[in-house]
Amino acid sequence: MRKTLLKALAVTAAVLLSATEGNTCTNVIVTSGASRDGSVLVSYAADSHYLFGELYHRQAADWPAGSMLKIYEWDTNRYLGEIEQVLHTYQTVGNMNEHQVIITETTWGGRPELEDKKGGIDYGSLIYIALQRAKSAREAIDIIVDLANTYGYASEGETFSIADKKEAWIMELIGKGMNIKNGVNVQKGIVWVAMRVPDGAICAHANQARIGKFPLDDPDNCLYAPDVITFARKKGYFDGLDSEFSFKKAYAPIDFGTVRGCDARVWSAFNILTDGWFSYFDENGRGVTRDAFSFLDYVMGKNLEGDLPLWVFPRRTITVKQVADVMRDHFEGTPMDMTQDIGAGGNALPYRWRPMEFTFDGKTYVNERAIATQQTGFWMVGQARKYVPDVVGGILWFGTDDAATSYLTPIYTSTTKVPECFREGNGDLLHYSPTASFWINNRISNACYKMYNVMAPYVRERIDAFETEQMDRRTHSVDSMAVVMYNQVAVSMQARAAKGKGQSSRPFAKLIKYVTDYTVNTAQEQFQAWTALETELLVKFMDGNVKPQNADGSFKHSEHSTGIPEKVEWPGYTELWKETVAQEHGEVILVPEQ
């Protein structure tokens, strides 16, 4: 997401403030060889204090020659101009399209002098236009480069995850600044590099450029702008040998804020998915395995001479559920664990409200920025699968608001309808809608924040039950039926072709309706379940109480009345909170010995 982070280069706490105040996102990329079922997986949290959680849906369409497409900046809705429309666009659902192409992003700002104030296309538009035009990840890269160079790039430095059912890429780009002649920027366009994530590896990025040195003669695995190095030389960002050039050092130099607020999230995702051991190849091609905690001095900003590998090779294969759970991380079990200091209050709340730094006694301190955050608009795990046909292959696991207390529901990318709870226009940040997923998830999240260590686990049990059922069982059943329907149509088409008969214009209409119905019904049923859960949370945890329940979920009541709880429990506060309060205020509240 757009953010002011990383524009400043000084290693100061002020940089960290700008870093964490802006909109910040996290991506995890899992290649086919690293996933349990051979899927390519990409996760994304669209984190912004200004973004509403809704599901974008554009049906495939044919356009008359000469049609133009109006461009509005994704972050602000600012009108940027028009570009030429192509003759045919593909269906898109959120950040996936009908060909199982996935594109997500994180913004890192970079050098402010490289912004193009006259650019005609922003990073968000690049994503959603490329999805409408690309049948593969490599094609999407070409489209993004062509659009940005043709119309001018209107955003800051950006990292894209670009994947399809066979491969995954990480792409980084930044504008070239402005050189105005006769009212026109003659320097428009981007410098960029894209690297294919090796099969069997996982990658991640979180609002800081990640690509350092890259091969200059391996077009199968690395693509880049022809002037990516010469432009850096021209601007004074680099003066070494071409073989020593690092994209991120030239265009997005690190500082305390970029490392602690951004690379730390990458480290945490790797730490979880590799069970604490980073296996990778160093710059000399040598295999290395290191304890994740050996990188702590770097990711905590204590030693900026360190670095993280661009990708690592996990020792176990990874499931959709595990990727989803990474997006719920608060640095648990690490020195940055947000539940373990007094800032978590008496109920271990792993969030800190803005601003993200504070000053006391002349010193500045930082609140952590973990992967999971309260200001998420929507989040997802895109699943591209080469072992089933495209018409049923792509699943966008989609959710809204804080990932730690919200669920993902399956959205088949061939769906012709969007569930009402995710529909664009069903509420916004200033207008509450009782039928919008974003708002009910906010109600549940904000309820949990008051007594997090008691309420969040209760919600998480229900999230895990729903997601496990969908990911491990229900969608497999849908897939099986859909593939049978697909094969029946394929056989019928072959028979008609053999007889010289024409084909239906919508041969898979019945199949598409089947997965559409499943998509919509599942999402709406879970929305209703979550609406009921919000009421249950109110009753169960009202006023700091915890009311016991029976196995069927009904509340236990006294023997004299069905409206009086059997017994009310009081969980109290954490030991750290009690110790701190006793130390700070004990003289006032101490109960004297009798």
Side-chain angles (χ1 to χ4, degrees):
M1 295 304 303
R2 179 175 295 277
K3 62 198 206 77
T4 56
L5 173 61
L6 320 183
K7 285 188 175 180
L9 300 180
V11 184
T12 64
V15 171
L16 183 56
L17 176 61
S18 67
T20 49
E21 282 298 330
N23 303 332
T24 45
C25 307
T26 307
N27 285 196
V28 176
I29 304 169
V30 178
T31 58
S32 175
S35 71
R36 182 73 54 84
D37 65 354
S39 300
V40 176
L41 306 173
V42 178
S43 69
Y44 176 44
D47 301 334
S48 168
H49 295 279
Y50 302 96
L51 182 67
F52 188 73
E54 54 194 349
L55 181 59
Y56 314 134
H57 182 227
R58 303 293 179 267
Q59 293 190 352
D62 294 313
W63 302 91
S67 296
M68 303 296 289
L69 174 65
K70 294 182 183 296
I71 302 298
Y72 295 89
E73 190 173 40
W74 184 42
D75 293 289
T76 66
N77 204 39
R78 177 172 63 101
Y79 178 64
L80 296 179
E82 294 184 337
I83 69 170
E84 294 182 11
Q85 181 60 283
V86 294
L87 296 178
H88 180 76
T89 53
Y90 305 125
Q91 170 161 300
T92 64
V93 180
N95 288 66
M96 290 187 71
N97 74 11
E98 63 180 280
H99 297 291
Q100 304 193 64
V101 177
I102 310 167
I103 308 177
T104 59
E105 58 78 33
T106 71
T107 303
W108 38 266
R111 297 186 180 272
E113 67 271 21
L114 298 185
E115 290 187 43
D116 181 358
K117 302 296 184 181
K118 290 184 174 290
I121 193 163
D122 66 296
Y123 78 94
S125 298
L126 286 176
I127 290 174
Y128 296 110
I129 294 171
L131 285 171
Q132 289 183 310
R133 300 182 179 189
K135 297 182 71 173
S136 69
R138 289 173 187 258
E139 189 175 0
I141 293 170
D142 291 339
I143 290 168
I144 287 171
V145 171
D146 181 64
L147 287 171
N149 284 336
T150 300
Y151 298 103
Y153 179 58
S155 300
E156 302 168 279
E158 195 75 27
T159 301
F160 291 127
S161 300
I162 305 177
D164 57 33
K165 57 194 174 185
K166 296 180 179 179
E167 58 184 20
W169 292 71
I170 178 172
M171 178 185 189
E172 301 193 322
L173 58 89
I174 194 168
K176 295 182 177 181
M178 301 180 71
N179 182 6
I180 304 299
K181 293 184 178 179
N182 298 321
V184 177
N185 183 13
V186 298
Q187 196 170 278
K188 68 181 179 181
I190 55 173
V191 285
W192 61 277
V193 59
M195 295 188 68
R196 188 179 70 84
V197 183
D199 196 38
I202 62 174
C203 185
H205 52 95
N207 304 113
Q208 169 58 12
R210 296 274 290 121
I211 299 177
K213 295 180 184 179
F214 55 89
L216 303 177
D217 56 356
D218 186 9
D220 289 337
N221 298 294
C222 183
L223 306 169
Y224 54 90
D227 61 345
V228 66
I229 300 177
T230 57
F231 184 77
R233 292 185 189 278
K234 175 183 174 183
K235 299 294 290 185
Y237 305 152
F238 176 71
D239 62 1
L241 298 173
D242 284 4
S243 60
E244 296 298 312
F245 179 74
S246 165
F247 182 89
K248 65 181 180 182
K249 287 183 178 179
Y251 294 111
I254 66 168
D255 52 45
F256 175 78
T258 69
V259 173
R260 186 63 174 262
C262 304
D263 279 350
R265 282 179 275 151
V266 172
W267 173 85
S268 192
F270 283 176
N271 179 41
I272 295 168
L273 294 175
T274 65
D275 299 317
W277 293 96
F278 293 4
S279 295
Y280 59 97
F281 293 97
D282 66 15
E283 292 182 347
N284 299 313
R286 295 174 298 195
V288 177
T289 296
R290 286 179 58 185
D291 186 335
F293 275 57
S294 69
F295 291 89
L296 273 179
D297 276 356
Y298 171 70
V299 297
M300 294 183 73
K302 296 178 180 179
N303 178 12
L304 299 183
E305 296 302 315
D307 202 355
L308 290 174
L310 180 56
W311 43 65
V312 294
F313 294 84
R315 291 190 273 182
R316 58 180 168 88
T317 54
I318 296 167
T319 66
V320 179
K321 176 61 173 167
Q322 289 165 341
V323 174
D325 287 344
V326 164
M327 303 304 289
R328 298 180 166 112
D329 177 58
H330 304 110
F331 291 122
E332 285 89 351
T334 78
M336 295 172 283
D337 190 336
M338 299 171 72
T339 68
Q340 296 301 305
D341 66 81
I342 194 59
N347 290 107
L349 177 66
Y351 295 103
R352 308 294 184 267
W353 314 138
R354 299 311 190 242
M356 290 301 291
E357 69 170 21
F358 62 93
T359 301
F360 178 75
D361 199 20
K363 296 181 180 180
T364 301
Y365 301 87
V366 58
N367 290 315
E368 305 294 355
R369 192 339 188 159
I371 295 174
T373 186
Q374 66 271 18
Q375 76 270 12
T376 299
F378 65 83
W379 67 292
M380 50 155 277
V381 178
Q383 183 181 16
R385 306 179 296 172
K386 60 188 175 185
Y387 51 85
V388 286
D390 281 346
V391 70
V392 293
I395 301 180
L396 182 76
W397 296 93
F398 186 79
T400 60
D401 193 47
D402 183 348
T405 46
S406 64
Y407 57 86
L408 294 177
T409 188
I411 309 291
Y412 280 85
T413 53
S414 58
T415 185
T416 58
K417 297 179 182 177
V418 168
E420 175 63 18
C421 60
F422 298 138
R423 177 179 58 82
E424 288 183 79
N426 184 10
D428 58 40
L429 288 178
L430 297 179
H431 298 89
Y432 177 79
S433 170
T435 60
S437 167
F438 179 84
W439 279 114
I440 193 61
N441 276 310
N442 262 279
R443 292 175 70 102
I444 286 178
S445 295
N446 279 274
C448 289
Y449 296 157
K450 70 181 180 183
M451 204 160 62
Y452 199 85
N453 60 340
V454 179
M455 295 179 67
Y458 187 82
V459 172
R460 181 64 181 269
E461 288 181 3
R462 282 141 186 82
I463 290 172
D464 290 344
F466 174 73
E467 289 181 348
T468 300
E469 175 71 13
Q470 292 297 322
M471 294 173 180
D472 290 353
R473 288 180 285 277
R474 296 293 296 279
T475 53
H476 292 295
S477 176
V478 174
D479 292 344
S480 297
M481 177 59 70
V483 169
V484 168
M485 297 171 71
Y486 178 90
N487 290 333
Q488 288 175 337
V489 173
V491 169
S492 176
M493 292 174 67
Q494 292 175 354
R496 291 182 67 86
K499 296 179 180 179
K501 295 182 178 180
Q503 302 291 345
S504 167
S505 59
R506 298 180 65 242
F508 298 106
K510 186 176 179 180
L511 185 159
I512 292 172
K513 183 180 184 303
Y514 172 66
V515 297
T516 295
D517 288 345
Y518 186 79
T519 292
V520 172
N521 293 338
T522 302
Q524 288 301 123
E525 288 170 6
Q526 182 63 5
F527 171 78
Q528 294 300 328
W530 230 236
T531 301
L533 175 61
E534 197 257 342
T535 302
E536 182 181 348
L537 294 176
L538 175 62
V539 175
K540 183 176 179 67
F541 298 102
M542 182 180 67
D543 300 333
N545 296 330
V546 179
K547 301 184 182 75
Q549 293 171 277
N550 296 302
D552 63 1
S554 62
F555 286 100
K556 294 182 179 180
H557 57 80
S558 74
E559 60 179 314
H560 305 296
S561 173
T562 59
I564 299 176
E566 176 187 77
K567 180 181 179 181
V568 171
E569 298 173 354
W570 300 310
Y573 299 105
T574 63
E575 291 301 307
L576 175 62
W577 183 91
K578 288 185 282 189
E579 177 185 358
T580 304
V581 172
Q583 291 175 348
E584 296 295 322
H585 199 53
E587 292 184 5
V588 176
I589 63 175
L590 180 65
V591 177
E593 295 182 6
Q594 301 298 322

